[in-house]
Amino acid sequence: MEALTSPLLKRPASHDADLTATDAEAEALVRLVRRRRAQTIAIGSGRTPHALESARLIEAAWERAGGTTLATITWPETGASWLRHASRFAAVEPDVWVMAGPATGWAQMTRRLLWSTSWRPERTLATAAVGDPRTLALVGLINLNGLVGATAHGTTWLVDDDTFQYPARTQERS
Protein backbone atom coordinates (compact mmCIF):
# COMPACT_ATOMS: atom_id res chain seq x y z
CA MET A 1 0.00 0.00 0.00
CA GLU A 2 1.23 3.48 -0.81
CA ALA A 3 0.84 6.62 1.25
CA LEU A 4 -2.62 7.13 2.68
CA THR A 5 -5.10 8.86 0.41
CA SER A 6 -7.88 8.78 3.02
CA PRO A 7 -8.02 8.16 6.74
CA LEU A 8 -10.93 5.73 6.31
CA LEU A 9 -10.76 2.08 5.29
CA LYS A 10 -12.74 1.16 2.24
CA ARG A 11 -13.98 -2.04 3.96
CA PRO A 12 -13.49 -3.78 7.32
CA ALA A 13 -10.80 -6.41 7.82
CA SER A 14 -11.80 -9.94 6.93
CA HIS A 15 -9.69 -11.38 9.76
CA ASP A 16 -10.72 -9.37 12.86
CA ALA A 17 -9.39 -11.76 15.51
CA ASP A 18 -10.19 -10.45 18.97
CA LEU A 19 -7.28 -11.65 21.11
CA THR A 20 -6.46 -11.02 24.75
CA ALA A 21 -2.80 -10.28 25.41
CA THR A 22 -0.90 -12.96 27.27
CA ASP A 23 1.27 -12.44 30.34
CA ALA A 24 4.36 -13.14 28.20
CA GLU A 25 3.22 -10.50 25.71
CA ALA A 26 2.62 -7.89 28.41
CA GLU A 27 6.02 -8.60 29.98
CA ALA A 28 7.72 -8.31 26.56
CA LEU A 29 6.02 -4.95 26.02
CA VAL A 30 7.25 -3.75 29.43
CA ARG A 31 10.81 -4.84 28.51
CA LEU A 32 10.54 -2.94 25.22
CA VAL A 33 9.33 0.19 27.01
CA ARG A 34 12.16 -0.07 29.54
CA ARG A 35 14.77 -0.48 26.77
CA ARG A 36 13.60 2.87 25.46
CA ARG A 37 14.19 4.35 28.92
CA ALA A 38 10.58 5.47 29.00
CA GLN A 39 8.85 6.44 32.20
CA THR A 40 5.34 7.12 30.89
CA ILE A 41 2.99 5.35 28.50
CA ALA A 42 -0.48 5.92 27.10
CA ILE A 43 -2.51 2.85 26.22
CA GLY A 44 -5.02 2.78 23.40
CA SER A 45 -7.37 -0.10 22.74
CA GLY A 46 -10.52 -1.16 21.05
CA ARG A 47 -13.64 -1.54 23.17
CA THR A 48 -14.15 -5.28 22.83
CA PRO A 49 -13.86 -7.31 26.04
CA HIS A 50 -10.57 -8.87 24.90
CA ALA A 51 -9.06 -5.51 23.89
CA LEU A 52 -10.07 -3.93 27.20
CA GLU A 53 -8.60 -6.88 29.12
CA SER A 54 -5.37 -6.53 27.12
CA ALA A 55 -5.16 -2.86 28.07
CA ARG A 56 -5.73 -3.71 31.76
CA LEU A 57 -3.10 -6.47 31.65
CA ILE A 58 -0.50 -4.19 30.02
CA GLU A 59 -1.24 -1.34 32.42
CA ALA A 60 -0.91 -3.64 35.45
CA ALA A 61 2.40 -5.09 34.20
CA TRP A 62 3.76 -1.61 33.48
CA GLU A 63 2.75 -0.23 36.86
CA ARG A 64 4.22 -3.29 38.66
CA ALA A 65 7.48 -2.40 36.89
CA GLY A 66 7.28 1.11 38.38
CA GLY A 67 6.06 2.94 35.29
CA THR A 68 3.30 5.51 34.99
CA THR A 69 0.29 5.23 32.69
CA LEU A 70 -0.82 8.73 31.68
CA ALA A 71 -4.07 7.66 30.03
CA THR A 72 -6.04 4.74 28.69
CA ILE A 73 -8.00 5.69 25.58
CA THR A 74 -10.52 3.45 23.82
CA TRP A 75 -11.93 3.62 20.33
CA PRO A 76 -14.89 1.97 18.60
CA GLU A 77 -14.51 -0.87 16.13
CA THR A 78 -16.84 0.91 13.70
CA GLY A 79 -17.83 4.53 13.40
CA ALA A 80 -18.04 7.57 11.18
CA SER A 81 -14.80 9.11 12.43
CA TRP A 82 -11.98 8.36 14.81
CA LEU A 83 -10.82 11.98 14.98
CA ARG A 84 -11.93 12.66 18.58
CA HIS A 85 -10.32 9.42 19.82
CA ALA A 86 -7.13 10.00 17.83
CA SER A 87 -6.82 13.57 19.07
CA ARG A 88 -7.20 12.46 22.70
CA PHE A 89 -4.68 9.63 22.28
CA ALA A 90 -2.03 11.80 20.57
CA ALA A 91 -2.49 14.74 22.96
CA VAL A 92 -1.30 12.76 25.98
CA GLU A 93 2.35 12.92 24.77
CA PRO A 94 3.76 9.94 26.68
CA ASP A 95 7.27 8.60 26.21
CA VAL A 96 5.70 5.60 24.44
CA TRP A 97 2.23 4.78 23.13
CA VAL A 98 0.96 1.18 23.41
CA MET A 99 -1.88 -0.10 21.22
CA ALA A 100 -4.15 -3.17 21.35
CA GLY A 101 -7.33 -4.27 19.66
CA PRO A 102 -8.95 -6.01 16.71
CA ALA A 103 -7.79 -5.19 13.19
CA THR A 104 -10.54 -2.94 11.86
CA GLY A 105 -10.73 -0.58 14.83
CA TRP A 106 -6.94 -0.45 15.20
CA ALA A 107 -6.46 0.27 11.50
CA GLN A 108 -9.11 3.00 11.47
CA MET A 109 -7.61 4.61 14.57
CA THR A 110 -4.05 4.38 13.23
CA ARG A 111 -4.99 5.80 9.84
CA ARG A 112 -6.69 8.74 11.59
CA LEU A 113 -3.65 9.22 13.87
CA LEU A 114 -1.37 9.39 10.83
CA TRP A 115 -3.74 11.66 8.93
CA SER A 116 -4.60 14.15 11.68
CA THR A 117 -2.11 14.12 14.58
CA SER A 118 1.55 14.23 15.55
CA TRP A 119 1.48 10.55 16.63
CA ARG A 120 4.39 8.52 15.25
CA PRO A 121 4.66 4.73 14.86
CA GLU A 122 8.32 4.73 15.92
CA ARG A 123 7.19 5.82 19.40
CA THR A 124 4.58 3.05 19.56
CA LEU A 125 4.44 -0.56 20.70
CA ALA A 126 1.63 -2.95 19.84
CA THR A 127 0.21 -6.32 20.80
CA ALA A 128 0.23 -9.58 18.87
CA ALA A 129 -3.28 -8.89 17.55
CA VAL A 130 -1.91 -5.83 15.74
CA GLY A 131 1.22 -7.68 14.60
CA ASP A 132 -0.61 -9.75 12.01
CA PRO A 133 0.73 -8.82 8.54
CA ARG A 134 -2.86 -8.62 7.24
CA THR A 135 -3.71 -6.10 9.96
CA LEU A 136 -0.61 -4.00 9.29
CA ALA A 137 -1.44 -4.03 5.56
CA LEU A 138 -4.71 -2.19 6.33
CA VAL A 139 -2.59 0.87 7.15
CA GLY A 140 0.36 0.03 4.90
CA LEU A 141 3.84 -0.94 6.03
CA ILE A 142 5.24 2.18 4.38
CA ASN A 143 3.25 4.21 6.93
CA LEU A 144 4.32 2.15 9.96
CA ASN A 145 8.13 2.18 9.94
CA GLY A 146 9.43 1.86 13.48
CA LEU A 147 6.32 0.20 14.93
CA VAL A 148 7.44 -2.58 17.29
CA GLY A 149 5.35 -5.19 19.03
CA ALA A 150 5.26 -8.39 21.02
CA THR A 151 3.89 -11.79 20.12
CA ALA A 152 1.75 -13.91 22.43
CA HIS A 153 4.90 -15.91 23.24
CA GLY A 154 6.93 -12.84 24.24
CA THR A 155 9.11 -12.53 21.15
CA THR A 156 9.07 -9.30 19.17
CA TRP A 157 8.20 -8.08 15.71
CA LEU A 158 9.14 -4.87 13.90
CA VAL A 159 8.15 -2.84 10.86
CA ASP A 160 11.37 -1.53 9.31
CA ASP A 161 12.26 -0.47 5.79
CA ASP A 162 8.62 -1.03 4.82
CA THR A 163 8.83 -4.72 5.76
CA PHE A 164 7.42 -6.84 8.57
CA GLN A 165 10.21 -8.55 10.47
CA TYR A 166 9.38 -11.46 12.74
CA PRO A 167 11.20 -12.10 14.87
CA ALA A 168 12.52 -8.57 15.05
CA ARG A 169 16.19 -8.15 14.17
CA THR A 170 16.40 -5.62 16.95
CA GLN A 171 14.32 -5.37 20.08
CA GLU A 172 14.55 -1.61 20.44
CA ARG A 173 14.24 1.49 18.35
CA SER A 174 15.67 4.92 19.10
Side-chain angles (χ1 to χ4, degrees):
M1 181 176 177
E2 297 176 15
L4 297 177
T5 57
S6 166
L8 296 176
L9 287 173
K10 293 189 184 347
R11 61 186 136 315
S14 59
H15 62 280
D16 251 350
D18 190 10
L19 307 174
T20 300
T22 64
D23 290 335
E25 190 175 340
E27 293 303 322
L29 289 168
V30 168
R31 284 192 306 276
L32 288 166
V33 173
R34 283 287 179 221
R35 286 187 182 126
R36 293 176 182 217
R37 294 182 168 78
Q39 300 297 312
T40 61
I41 66 171
I43 301 170
S45 78
R47 293 180 181 160
T48 65
H50 293 288
L52 293 171
E53 181 58 27
S54 293
R56 282 190 288 273
L57 181 67
I58 294 162
E59 181 175 19
W62 175 239
E63 291 181 353
R64 275 193 311 274
T68 301
T69 303
L70 298 178
T72 301
I73 308 295
T74 64
W75 55 76
E77 300 310 306
T78 60
S81 172
W82 282 257
L83 181 58
R84 181 171 48 93
H85 312 290
S87 297
R88 286 180 53 225
F89 189 57
V92 176
E93 284 297 324
D95 297 325
V96 173
W97 286 288
V98 180
M99 298 177 84
T104 299
W106 175 82
Q108 288 287 98
M109 177 67 165
T110 301
R111 290 169 68 96
R112 180 49 78 179
L113 284 163
L114 287 163
W115 192 267
S116 305
T117 73
S118 61
W119 172 88
R120 299 302 319 143
E122 62 271 10
R123 288 183 49 206
T124 307
L125 304 175
T127 61
V130 172
D132 181 315
R134 298 170 297 175
T135 300
L136 297 170
L138 295 169
V139 176
L141 293 177
I142 194 170
N143 300 306
L144 296 172
N145 278 318
L147 180 66
V148 176
T151 69
H153 302 291
T155 58
T156 59
W157 53 266
L158 163 70
V159 177
D160 192 34
D161 290 330
D162 307 334
T163 61
F164 178 69
Q165 298 175 9
Y166 169 78
R169 282 191 231 152
T170 178
Q171 293 203 359
E172 67 179 281
R173 298 282 301 185
S174 301

